[in-house]
């Protein structure tokens, strides 16, 4: 079964163009399933029945896992068996009857404009590290891009002359405008900061760590945490918090939801509509323009 799992992950990567994080998630979930099946003396996916899978879900529920975690496990199992059925490795799909539990949608954590302003003022722009960190934070808030998209940006994706960045999302790309504050921060970083880290002239990554290699998610998360504490923001914020805050602040200032959807890269507008219920009109008269730092 381990070999079949490896073949499934390879299929996701080469045929479905899934992200590394998605593949890691599938692998983790399905390895746990395999351990359970081994304990039930089942060593071939072709032997698995819907009753076996329901027994596995009962065990997951007994662990008091979150509904979202159980739903993700079900999605992983269904994807695997759909692949096996399509490949003719199983004669029937035992996962068809699995139904995910209802997941209560939580409202995302949002920073106020004042909190964002304090956060973005924390980097010491008299240092190369501060210039890099300021450019990253300003760009993340200016565009609402995902942190995975931010750290995979290349120098060629940035166009300071016309004020936009090309953002890559799996097999798609989108062009997002950047405002003057972010544009200035990026220009300062490119002129006075990046060469401090990057010694290899062939390095294409826009943002690197202190060793001159591409910045990691964990590396940026630590950077953000440090500045959040320095700004007196003690909530559990993540890079995605700036993405959520970008969306809400744009809508609060009159940006239309379709434009925000396109900037965020949401394929379904329903994913963007969650922000509409978050006091959209409350601060409309506070700002002069659609984005508070433009």
């Amino acid at each position: 079964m381990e070999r079949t799992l490896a073949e499934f992950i390879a299929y996701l990567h080469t045929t479905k163009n899934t992200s590394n994080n998605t593949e890691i998630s599938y692998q983790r979930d399905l390895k746990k399933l395999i351990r359970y099946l081994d304990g039930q003396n089942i060593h071939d996916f072709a032997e698995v029945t819907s009753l076996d899978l329901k027994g596995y879900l009962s065990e997951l529920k007994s662990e008091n896992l979150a509904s979202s975690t159980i739903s993700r496990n079900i999605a992983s199992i269904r994807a695997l068996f759909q692949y096996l059925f399509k490949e003719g490795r199983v004669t029937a799909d035992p996962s068809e009857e699995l139904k995910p539990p209802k997941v209560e949608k939580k409202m995302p954590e949002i920073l106020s404009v004042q909190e964002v302003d304090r956060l973005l003022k924390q980097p010491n722009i008299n240092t190369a590290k501060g210039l890099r960190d300021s450019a990253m934070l300003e760009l993340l808030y200016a565009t609402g891009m995902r942190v995975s998209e931010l750290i995979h940006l290349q120098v060629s994706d940035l166009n300071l002359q016309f004020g936009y960045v090309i953002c890559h999302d799996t097999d798609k790309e989108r062009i997002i405008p950047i405002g003057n504050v972010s544009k200035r921060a990026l220009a300062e970083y490119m002129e006075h900061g990046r060469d401090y880290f990057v010694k290899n002239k062939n390095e294409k990554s826009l943002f690197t760590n202190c060793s001159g290699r591409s910045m990691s998610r964990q590396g940026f998360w630590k950077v953000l945490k440090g500045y959040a504490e320095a700004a007196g923001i003690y909530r559990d914020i993540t890079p995605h918090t700036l993405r959520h805050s970008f969306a809400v602040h744009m809508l609060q200032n009159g940006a239309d939801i379709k434009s925000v959807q396109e900037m965020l890269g949401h394929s379904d507008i329903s994913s963007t509509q969650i922000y509409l219920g978050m006091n959209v009109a409350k601060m409309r008269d506070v700002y002069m323009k659609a984005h508070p730092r433009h």
Side-chain angles (χ1 to χ4, degrees), residues 275-286:
Y275 301 114
L276 285 174
M278 304 180 71
N279 292 323
V280 168
K282 184 179 178 183
M283 297 162 68
R284 187 184 298 274
D285 59 343
V286 177

Side-chain angles (χ1 to χ4, degrees), residues 37 70 114 156 164-165 177 237 260 265 271 273:
L37 294 173
I70 294 174
Q114 292 79 7
S156 58
Y164 69 81
V165 65
I237 71 169
V260 174
S271 300
Q273 287 172 333

Side-chain angles (χ1 to χ4, degrees), residues 164-228:
Y164 69 81
V165 65
I166 301 174
C167 190
H168 302 273
D169 175 16
T170 314
D171 58 340
K172 298 178 292 183
E173 64 178 38
R174 63 191 189 279
I175 295 176
I176 313 176
I178 55 177
N180 290 328
V181 176
S182 178
K183 190 175 170 181
R184 283 195 297 271
L186 285 160
E188 285 292 310
Y189 164 65
M190 292 301 292
E191 188 172 350
H192 303 294
R194 187 172 180 273
D195 286 347
Y196 178 84
F197 302 108
V198 180
K199 306 306 179 189
N200 181 358
K201 292 182 179 180
N202 295 322
E203 177 59 57
K204 297 178 180 179
S205 297
L206 179 59
F207 298 112
T208 72
N209 56 26
C210 294
S211 301
R213 292 187 292 272
S214 183
M215 173 74 72
S216 67
R217 292 169 63 95
Q218 294 83 359
F220 180 71
W221 185 84
K222 288 179 182 177
V223 167
L224 177 62
K225 282 287 185 182
Y227 288 131

Side-chain angles (χ1 to χ4, degrees), residues 1-12 27 30-31 34 38 43-45 80 83-84 87 89:
M1 287 193 287
E2 289 280 357
R3 182 176 177 178
T4 302
L5 174 56
E7 290 169 351
F8 171 60
I9 298 299
Y11 160 79
L12 291 176
Q27 197 158 31
L30 294 171
K31 277 189 173 182
I34 289 172
D38 280 339
H43 306 295
D44 191 321
F45 287 120
L80 170 67
Y83 160 76
L84 294 175
E87 292 287 309
R89 300 193 189 191

